[in-house]
Amino acid sequence: MNQETGKNLQKKLSSRSKQMLAKKRNPFSKFLVLWTGELISLIGSGLTSFGLGVYVYQVTGKVSGLALVSLLAFLPALLLSPMAGVLADRYDRRLLMLLGDSLSALGILFILICMLLGDAQLWQICIGVTISSVFSSLLEPAYRASITDLLSQEDYTKASGLVQAAGSSKYLISPILAGYLLRVFDIKLLLIIDICTFFVTASSILFVRRSLASQRDQGSASSKGERGPESSNSERVSASSNGEWSPVSGSMRDDFREGWHAVAGNRGVLVLVLMGSVITFFLGFIQTLSTPMILAFTDSSALGTTLTLSAFGMLITSVFVGIIPMKHNFVNKLCLSLFGAGIFMAVFGLRENIVLICAAGFLFFSMLPFANTSLDYLIRTNIGNELQGRAWGLIGVISQLGYVAAYAVSGILADHVFTPLLVKGGALSGSVGLILGIGTSRGTGLLILIAGLLLSISAIILLRIKSIRALETH
């Protein structure tokens, strides 16, 4: 009898061990499904972004036109991200991702229809990218909060590396693919492909959402069987921590206030976020000006190849971070990677030399995953999970205001200030031109160079801020 009881006990222990192992595996597998859908969506978005950039610059011949489109594609999503963060804490995060991805396709569809009826005007493109940006604002806070839902803290840096690897696809896969397609077809095919990627992304989101719902139902049934109805409150907390939606009481104003307190209540987090806006200001120049700088002396196919080769740096280091997670010295790694990114960014704008641009771009992109992972970890581990959606929404607005400023001024500075100074016969063509060269791309090159040097200086300042260093000891 005792032997039989021991065997039964051993079977139960073995069964529970298998269940525990499955629970450890399943969350990351769900994340991988969600990540795959986002990867495909980002590739489609990258095709549209590349195609519209080339189209607008070739039609208008102005950097300011391209900068305006970039601004309108970015600003609505940024301004609406706090609201999206609140919604991510109040409602089903996977459902918000599904709505955001599907409705954002309407803006791309509008641009496609305008092109099918004739050449799309700049104002029509601006309307389309604005519509797309408004609805895509739902994606980022919900996606970031979903990562915290699905994974344990040990997997954060690994997930961050994979997320950045997916983000690099916009620069790695999309440009070379778009450059090749534009040699054979026109931009309309790129827009159609982008719209079609929604179906794959939607399927991955629905799969994760249904599997989490099934897990919740099983957990609820098990809890009732073992502990009785008095455990319902603890079940809801556990379900929420596993990624399931539970109603949030209180007004949206209260949610905003709680999100702000989560950010501002920790001085280190607030200072880091504010410094993030300074960093994104400098990064915004290379994002806006790299396309017109390269197109000024080559074609769209060479542009796509150059951006793809440059983005291999981000892919390699993102995979590295995903395989070998970062575990300590996050502040030092953040500052060192930003300093290196600034130096390589300055070299990127130095000359009209495609080999030099590819090498500098590769090294520039290789720095970003280390910086992004460090930032992500320092903020994520200093804010509670129940406030992550609201906090990330506000963090997105504050830290990325630098992009808005860069998009707003970069085109004007390039077209009306720096380019006239460095074209043949300009005021600086004799002195600075000896180093940078002379031509229509040299004004944009000088702007990128200056922004890169200022980024390196910002990294040095960041390293000396005590409140930021204290985040790592939390």
Side-chain angles (χ1 to χ4, degrees), residues 87-320:
L87 294 176
D89 284 338
R90 296 176 69 93
Y91 301 104
D92 189 322
R93 290 165 177 172
R94 267 59 63 188
L95 181 60
L96 289 174
M97 291 175 63
L98 184 64
L99 290 173
D101 192 60
S102 58
L103 294 176
S104 66
L106 295 176
I108 309 302
L109 181 61
F110 173 80
I111 297 174
L112 177 61
I113 293 173
C114 292
M115 289 185 173
L116 291 173
L117 297 176
D119 291 336
Q121 302 299 311
L122 179 61
W123 66 269
Q124 293 172 323
I125 294 174
C126 289
I127 290 175
V129 297
T130 302
I131 293 172
S132 182
S133 180
V134 167
F135 291 112
S136 64
S137 65
L138 295 172
L139 284 170
E140 184 69 10
Y143 185 41
R144 284 184 175 272
S146 290
I147 294 173
T148 310
D149 285 341
L150 295 172
L151 302 178
S152 62
Q153 185 170 322
E154 301 83 57
D155 289 327
Y156 285 170
T157 57
K158 185 187 296 184
S160 180
L162 291 173
V163 168
Q164 291 173 75
S168 69
S169 64
K170 293 182 67 173
Y171 311 99
L172 181 67
I173 300 174
S174 301
I176 194 168
L177 178 59
Y180 171 76
L181 291 174
L182 287 177
R183 293 179 63 182
V184 183
F185 305 98
D186 62 13
I187 188 177
K188 291 188 283 293
L189 177 63
L190 303 183
L191 301 181
I192 292 171
I193 294 174
D194 186 14
I195 293 170
C196 290
T197 60
F198 153 72
F199 298 101
V200 178
T201 306
S203 298
S204 68
I205 296 171
L206 287 172
F207 173 82
V208 172
R209 186 168 182 262
R210 288 171 180 169
S211 63
L212 285 174
S214 176
Q215 178 181 326
R216 178 194 58 189
D217 293 340
Q218 292 175 3
S220 178
S222 175
S223 298
K224 288 179 181 178
E226 293 179 8
R227 290 171 294 181
E230 68 277 7
S231 63
S232 59
N233 290 334
S234 62
E235 286 168 17
R236 199 178 95 168
V237 173
S238 175
S240 178
S241 66
N242 285 326
E244 291 305 314
W245 168 74
S246 58
V248 177
S249 60
S251 66
M252 298 193 77
R253 173 186 280 185
D254 292 336
D255 288 337
F256 278 119
R257 187 181 296 113
E258 289 174 2
W260 171 247
H261 287 322
V263 176
N266 186 318
R267 179 178 174 82
V269 171
L270 179 60
V271 174
L272 186 61
V273 171
L274 292 174
M275 283 299 296
S277 65
V278 176
I279 292 166
T280 55
F281 175 72
F282 301 132
L283 293 177
F285 280 87
I286 192 171
Q287 287 193 2
T288 307
L289 303 177
S290 57
T291 292
M293 187 191 83
I294 297 172
L295 282 177
F297 65 95
T298 187
D299 58 17
S300 60
S301 179
L303 170 66
T305 302
T306 301
L307 295 181
T308 292
L309 292 175
S310 299
F312 263 108
M314 181 180 286
L315 175 66
I316 291 172
T317 50
S318 294
V319 172
F320 177 82

Side-chain angles (χ1 to χ4, degrees), residues 69 243 283 458:
V69 172
L283 293 177
S458 299

